[in-house]
Amino acid sequence: MKKPTIKDVAKLAGVSFKTVSRVVNQEPNVSESVKEKVLESIKQLNYQPNHTARVMRKAPFSLAFVYDNPNSHYVIEMQNGIISECRKKGFELVIHPTDSHSDEVGNELAAMIGSNQIGGIILTPPLSENKELVTFLLSRDAKVVRILSGEQPPDKLAPVLHVDDVDAGFKMTQYLLELGHRDIAFLGFHASHESSLGRVRGFKKAHELAGLSFDKNFIIDGEFTFESGMDMAKQVLAMPKRPSAIFACNDEIAAGAVFMARLNDLKVPEDISIIGFENSPFATQTWPHLTTIDQPNFDIAATAAAMVIEMMKSNDVHVVDSKGFSLEVVIRDSACKPSL
């Protein structure tokens, strides 16, 4: 049987083939009634758009997810969220890990844009925090959306999807304070990570609003890994005054802290409460299951992809506004009132 063409669709729908092309490419200025007729005709004929033809006429229909993050759960959830939106809109995704510290990262991405028909880019931290890189990509006519930690966008350079780590850090610390904890350690401070800085600001804010002081020695520098969580927990558990609770900057750190507590013959949460952040698989693979902050990476990524695609379709960076995500506490089994 002959494969249906765009002209067959146009004939069945009673419109021009250019109108069918606009519907397939999700371009504006097509009425809903016409769009419905075209989509119904496409369905009846089982018409498959020719993406190769789109490439030949140099119309970008791919976007890139660019990251430098060792957290495999974060990367996979982001990737899945972006792919879900791309499939809905008929766009392709290029996944590109890179070294954010490299002097060549800008040229590397510029080459990728030129060779892969990429019109949009989603940047995650720490790449999204690099204003020079964002400016460079914009100069190459890429549509850029940045995923950043913050209560609001830091500038108007390009649209931002900002995650309120300050508020989340405040909520989690407030939860521990309401349980009665007064000696809380913060594990995972990292001066170059905006997410860590936001969470520790929320930690301090909760103490200040409650009229309580906190021990600065309980704020421990470290990486967002299980091994670092063990090392940081070992430090605070060896202090003369042991904390009654640990606020870990992510679930991997929290899982490492739980393991170290066990090595020190401490029960969680009876002897020490330990909470995490992100609601990753570590939160339910660890026993007891972790009280944590739910960070919906899939939804965040899907929203960022929708923003980029809208800009690519309209060829206008001003067609979308920055958006914010607030995060909530998920209460499980790893925290309770402190023992007397």
Side-chain angles (χ1 to χ4, degrees):
M1 184 179 291
K2 182 184 175 184
K3 186 177 180 181
T5 67
I6 192 170
K7 291 184 178 179
D8 295 326
V9 175
K11 183 177 179 180
L12 181 60
V15 298
S16 70
F17 75 88
K18 288 185 178 180
T19 299
V20 176
S21 178
R22 289 193 188 99
V23 173
V24 169
N25 293 319
Q26 299 185 4
E27 295 176 10
N29 304 322
V30 180
S31 70
E32 285 300 317
S33 60
V34 170
K35 188 185 297 183
E36 285 178 12
K37 284 198 296 184
V38 171
L39 292 175
E40 180 60 31
S41 299
I42 288 172
K43 184 178 179 181
Q44 286 184 33
L45 295 172
N46 194 26
Y47 170 68
Q48 299 295 322
N50 186 350
H51 290 306
T52 303
R54 294 170 73 178
V55 175
M56 292 299 291
R57 66 176 186 267
K58 301 299 182 183
F61 68 98
S62 296
L63 59 129
F65 167 41
V66 183
Y67 67 90
D68 179 7
N69 191 316
N71 185 331
S72 59
H73 166 72
Y74 176 84
V75 170
I76 291 169
E77 283 288 287
M78 294 292 292
Q79 173 184 312
N80 289 341
I82 297 168
I83 287 173
S84 72
E85 195 64 27
C86 286
R87 285 174 177 164
K88 290 178 188 176
K89 305 292 177 61
F91 280 70
E92 300 294 333
L93 174 63
V94 174
I95 299 166
H96 190 83
T98 190
D99 179 4
S100 60
H101 301 292
S102 170
D103 293 334
E104 293 300 314
V105 65
N107 292 328
E108 177 188 328
L109 297 184
M112 181 182 69
I113 292 168
S115 63
N116 287 294
Q117 277 295 292
I118 290 170
I121 293 180
I122 297 171
L123 293 177
T124 56
L127 293 155
S128 56
E129 297 161 5
N130 186 337
K131 291 184 180 181
E132 185 177 342
L133 173 63
V134 174
T135 302
F136 178 82
L137 293 173
L138 292 173
S139 73
R140 294 298 188 275
D141 201 31
K143 307 300 184 290
V144 180
V145 167
R146 298 170 290 167
I147 297 175
L148 290 169
S149 172
E151 297 172 274
Q152 58 187 14
D155 52 56
K156 295 184 178 179
L157 194 58
V160 171
L161 201 157
H162 52 100
V163 180
D164 197 341
D165 285 293
V166 175
D167 181 61
F170 173 83
K171 288 174 180 174
M172 184 56 87
T173 307
Q174 186 179 54
Y175 172 71
L176 291 173
L177 292 174
E178 288 175 350
L179 284 176
H181 293 281
R182 295 297 178 265
D183 299 308
I184 306 171
F186 183 95
L187 307 189
F189 177 74
H190 203 301
S192 64
H193 288 185
E194 286 297 324
S195 59
S196 174
L197 292 173
R199 292 166 199 178
V200 82
R201 281 200 293 271
F203 174 83
K204 294 176 179 179
K205 180 181 176 182
H207 280 88
E208 289 165 3
L209 288 182
L212 299 169
S213 61
F214 58 89
D215 189 339
K216 293 181 180 179
N217 293 320
F218 280 166
I219 298 178
I220 310 296
D221 292 15
E223 302 297 327
F224 282 25
T225 65
F226 181 91
E227 293 75 14
S228 184
M230 289 180 60
D231 291 340
M232 289 184 284
K234 185 177 181 180
Q235 288 183 56
V236 297
L237 294 178
M239 291 179 176
K241 184 179 182 182
R242 193 181 72 206
S244 65
I246 287 175
F247 180 150
C249 222
N250 80 346
D251 294 331
E252 284 192 57
I253 294 173
V258 168
F259 186 72
M260 184 53 64
R262 287 212 182 93
L263 292 180
N264 283 268
D265 295 322
L266 297 174
K267 294 180 181 179
V268 178
E270 293 85 355
D271 297 323
I272 185 167
S273 292
I274 299 176
I275 60 89
F277 200 110
E278 193 178 4
N279 203 19
S280 73
F282 275 94
T284 51
Q285 291 167 358
T286 300
W287 184 259
H289 293 169
L290 296 173
T291 290
T292 187
I293 290 287
D294 183 31
Q295 182 172 295
N297 292 322
F298 183 99
D299 295 336
I300 290 169
T303 302
M307 292 165 69
V308 171
I309 289 170
E310 188 62 28
M311 288 192 291
M312 291 170 65
K313 284 163 53 181
S314 64
N315 199 31
D316 183 0
V317 296
H318 303 294
V319 75
V320 300
D321 296 322
S322 294
K323 300 179 186 294
F325 266 78
S326 60
L327 311 179
E328 301 299 329
V329 177
V330 177
I331 298 173
R332 294 198 179 100
D333 308 312
S334 65
C336 68
K337 293 181 179 181
S339 56
L340 297 177

